[in-house]
Amino acid sequence: MFNIFKKKKYVDIYSPINGILLKIEDVPDPVFSQKMVGDGVALEPKEGIVYSPVNGTIIQLFPTKHALGIKTEEGLEILIHIGMDTVEMKGNGFESFVSEGGRVKIGDKLLKFDMELVKKEHPLTSPIIITNMDIVDKIVKEPDGEEVKAGKTKIMRVYLK
């Protein structure tokens, strides 16, 4: 009751990809747009390189390299998913520069993907999702439609419970 002076814990999440910021509700897949996996934002990539949006540890790298999970030092878990239904590509066109358990800093190169190859068969829209919403108090998202720079532009501030 008397903790009004207690500093609230939060995590700033930076863009992992150079591109355009989108609302999660605009993702062309109901699993993401209806927040079944968690809440967040999405990006329309302008180049095929993914950088770390936070300081943390790689907790999951999908064998197909189309998605990975990072856990921040504060315990927040973030999923970066490249494109829609790209698991069907079975890793073709994807390259990883990290492995599970590896520590990363904001701006470290994580993945590379062939945008043209992905675009031939799948939307490029890439969700950035908080998957452990149980520790989240609120998310303040930057305005959609803005151009964002990987490792430089803050896309969300996540306040923790």
Side-chain angles (χ1 to χ4, degrees):
M1 186 159 107
F2 293 103
N3 63 357
I4 58 169
F5 296 109
K6 184 179 171 194
K7 189 172 182 184
K8 202 153 184 90
K9 283 179 59 171
Y10 63 86
V11 178
D12 284 337
I13 300 175
Y14 293 86
S15 182
I17 303 170
N18 290 325
I20 304 295
L21 189 60
L22 305 173
K23 290 181 188 157
I24 195 65
E25 294 83 0
D26 294 339
V27 172
D29 182 330
V31 170
F32 295 109
S33 64
Q34 295 176 19
K35 304 178 186 177
M36 294 178 200
V37 181
D39 199 355
V41 297
L43 296 162
E44 196 61 38
K46 286 197 166 185
E47 73 173 9
I49 301 174
V50 180
Y51 301 89
S52 182
V54 293
N55 297 328
T57 303
I58 304 297
I59 55 171
Q60 185 173 24
L61 176 62
F62 287 73
T64 51
K65 299 176 182 67
H66 77 287
L68 58 76
I70 303 173
K71 187 172 192 169
T72 71
E73 295 149 349
E74 299 82 7
L76 196 64
E77 295 176 5
I78 301 160
L79 172 70
I80 301 171
H81 191 286
I82 307 305
M84 295 288 106
D85 300 318
T86 46
V87 67
E88 297 168 3
M89 295 177 69
K90 298 181 171 61
N92 187 26
F94 293 86
E95 183 181 352
S96 169
F97 300 101
V98 294
S99 54
E100 287 182 10
R103 306 246 331 125
V104 293
K105 295 190 301 289
I106 294 168
D108 287 354
K109 193 191 295 190
L110 305 177
L111 301 170
K112 188 166 93 174
F113 60 99
D114 184 330
M115 284 183 56
E116 294 308 312
L117 193 62
V118 172
K119 233 182 345 190
K120 277 183 190 170
E121 298 178 39
H122 305 282
L124 280 171
T125 307
S126 299
I128 315 303
I129 304 293
I130 308 304
T131 56
N132 60 340
M133 290 297 295
D134 56 310
I135 71 164
V136 173
D137 183 28
K138 71 175 180 175
I139 301 176
V140 178
K141 303 173 186 180
E142 295 302 312
D144 59 298
E146 299 290 315
E147 186 162 339
V148 292
K149 296 281 180 213
K152 305 277 186 224
T153 310
K154 183 175 73 173
I155 57 173
M156 291 185 275
R157 175 170 279 178
V158 181
Y159 290 91
L160 306 173
K161 289 182 181 171

